Amino acid sequence: MKFTVLTLFPEMFSSPLSESMLKRAIETGHIAVDIVDIREYAEGRHKQADDRPYGGGSGMVLMPQPLARALESVKDADGERTERVVLLSPQGARFDQAMAGEFSRVDHLVLVCGRYEGVDERVKELYIEQEVSIGDYVLTGGELAAMVVLDAVARLIPGVLGDPESLREESFCDDLLEYPHYTRPETFEGRKVPDVLLSGHHENIRRWRRKESLKKTALNRPDLLDKKSLSPEDRELLKLAMKELEN
Ligand code: 4FV
């Protein structure tokens, strides 16, 4: 899968792409990442890429021409491969695991990083297929949001994560939060690992983990439970979980 990132601060991507999962995914060829400096497509001695807003007001706006030229240069000419051009902005649809899954099935994901007050609206009209927000807060730039999307999508590419099994049981894979995890030592600060996890009884362990997922979700993200249709077993385990919360 190919990622192309358009930014005025290409250096911000050097370290995240040179560590851990993303580094390995690039080395193994599972993903390719191009970081494109928008300013290289700006004209004039000063290579101006932003200008004052029409209608007045504070701040600057990313100019349409440099961004349009940069987008023209990265878009697949042959149209053979599926491509999605995304602008990271607070005005976008909320990024989530389902959207990460959707993006991981595209051949070429183009991520445009806004800066300042944002990009000229005509760029959105002419080139941007989807605006995406990572959350209701304002960043100084879209770069960190692009990195979040890159990481969340790349790890879903088959072969990128060592053990694809781990994808099956993680948070949001079933619209539930993940169950608690434990590792050695068996007792830490006087606190023991739950006996069921030491029992080797796989069915009891499965039910305990499902109950704990339902409990954590009821506590921290009841909105997820509201929109989820629960199986008879889930309803039974949720009742148990709520009873445990009462005690
Ligand atoms: C953002 C977000 C975000 C807004 C002004 C960049 C900044 C500046 N992007 N999810 N939240 N972007 O705050 O994606 O242009």
Side-chain angles (χ1 to χ4, degrees), residues 19-47:
E19 294 294 336
S20 178
M21 179 271 289
L22 288 173
K23 178 174 180 249
R24 216 178 25 257
I26 292 167
E27 285 168 349
T28 56
H30 284 98
I31 68 171
V33 183
D34 276 359
I35 307 297
V36 173
D37 184 347
I38 298 167
R39 203 174 294 285
E40 278 169 23
Y41 295 84
E43 286 182 342
R45 206 151 44 78
H46 304 297
K47 292 211 167 285

Side-chain angles (χ1 to χ4, degrees), residues 34 92 94 125 148 189 191:
D34 276 359
R94 176 63 68 81
E125 292 156 4
V148 165
E189 302 285 341
R191 294 165 181 252

Side-chain angles (χ1 to χ4, degrees), residues 186-212:
E186 213 173 287
T187 303
F188 175 70
E189 302 285 341
R191 294 165 181 252
K192 257 181 72 27
V193 170
D195 292 334
V196 65
L197 298 181
L198 308 173
S199 68
H201 192 298
H202 296 301
E203 177 56 8
N204 288 354
I205 291 169
R206 182 192 66 77
R207 285 173 56 83
W208 179 87
R209 284 175 167 171
R210 189 71 178 178
K211 172 178 63 73
E212 291 301 315

Side-chain angles (χ1 to χ4, degrees), residues 88-90 114-116 118 132-135 137-142 145:
L88 287 305
S89 95
R115 273 276 156 174
Y116 319 116
V132 170
S133 170
I134 63 166
Y137 38 79
V138 181
L139 304 169
T140 55

Side-chain angles (χ1 to χ4, degrees), residues 9-246:
F9 299 93
E11 283 319 303
M12 285 182 69
F13 292 84
S14 42
S15 70
L17 296 179
S18 56
E19 294 294 336
S20 178
M21 179 271 289
L22 288 173
K23 178 174 180 249
R24 216 178 25 257
I26 292 167
E27 285 168 349
T28 56
H30 284 98
I31 68 171
V33 183
D34 276 359
I35 307 297
V36 173
D37 184 347
I38 298 167
R39 203 174 294 285
E40 278 169 23
Y41 295 84
E43 286 182 342
R45 206 151 44 78
H46 304 297
K47 292 211 167 285
Q48 186 182 356
D50 59 295
D51 203 341
R52 288 176 295 103
Y54 277 116
S58 65
M60 301 293 271
V61 175
L62 281 186
M63 297 161 64
Q65 312 96 317
L67 204 36
R69 285 198 203 91
L71 282 161
E72 285 296 345
S73 76
V74 303
K75 281 167 72 66
D76 277 342
D78 59 17
E80 291 302 304
R81 304 179 318 156
T82 56
E83 185 172 81
R84 184 76 57 88
V85 180
V86 168
L87 170 66
L88 287 305
S89 95
Q91 291 85 39
R94 176 63 68 81
F95 183 63
D96 62 8
Q97 196 64 18
M99 194 188 284
E102 190 195 318
F103 287 168
S104 70
R105 291 183 285 276
V106 166
D107 298 324
H108 184 201
L109 187 61
V110 179
L111 299 173
V112 180
C113 304
R115 273 276 156 174
Y116 319 116
E117 300 315 304
V119 307
D120 184 288
E121 193 64 20
R122 293 162 290 185
V123 171
K124 296 184 190 178
E125 292 156 4
L126 293 166
Y127 293 95
I128 301 300
E129 291 161 334
Q130 198 167 348
E131 275 191 83
V132 170
S133 170
I134 63 166
D136 294 346
Y137 38 79
V138 181
L139 304 169
T140 55
E143 284 75 14
L144 295 176
M147 289 178 209
V148 165
V149 171
L150 239 170
D151 186 286
V153 173
R155 64 188 295 280
L156 298 177
I157 308 287
V160 166
L161 280 189
D163 160 16
E165 184 56 26
S166 66
L167 286 176
R168 222 172 49 69
E169 286 203 322
E170 63 184 6
S171 286
F172 309 110
C173 75
D174 187 13
D175 296 326
L176 291 180
L177 301 186
E178 211 162 327
Y179 49 77
H181 295 285
Y182 296 84
T183 187
R184 286 180 295 189
E186 213 173 287
T187 303
F188 175 70
E189 302 285 341
R191 294 165 181 252
K192 257 181 72 27
V193 170
D195 292 334
V196 65
L197 298 181
L198 308 173
S199 68
H201 192 298
H202 296 301
E203 177 56 8
N204 288 354
I205 291 169
R206 182 192 66 77
R207 285 173 56 83
W208 179 87
R209 284 175 167 171
R210 189 71 178 178
K211 172 178 63 73
E212 291 301 315
S213 275
L214 289 159
K215 186 190 291 181
K216 174 92 72 160
T217 308
L219 268 177
N220 298 355
R221 293 292 307 278
D223 58 299
L224 292 175
L225 273 187
D226 298 344
K227 64 180 181 191
K228 185 175 176 52
S229 59
L230 294 179
S231 67
E233 180 189 54
D234 279 347
R235 276 198 292 280
E236 173 222 340
L237 292 171
L238 181 57
K239 215 179 283 137
L240 275 175
M242 301 316 279
K243 217 184 266 83
E244 288 172 4
L245 284 175
E246 276 147 25

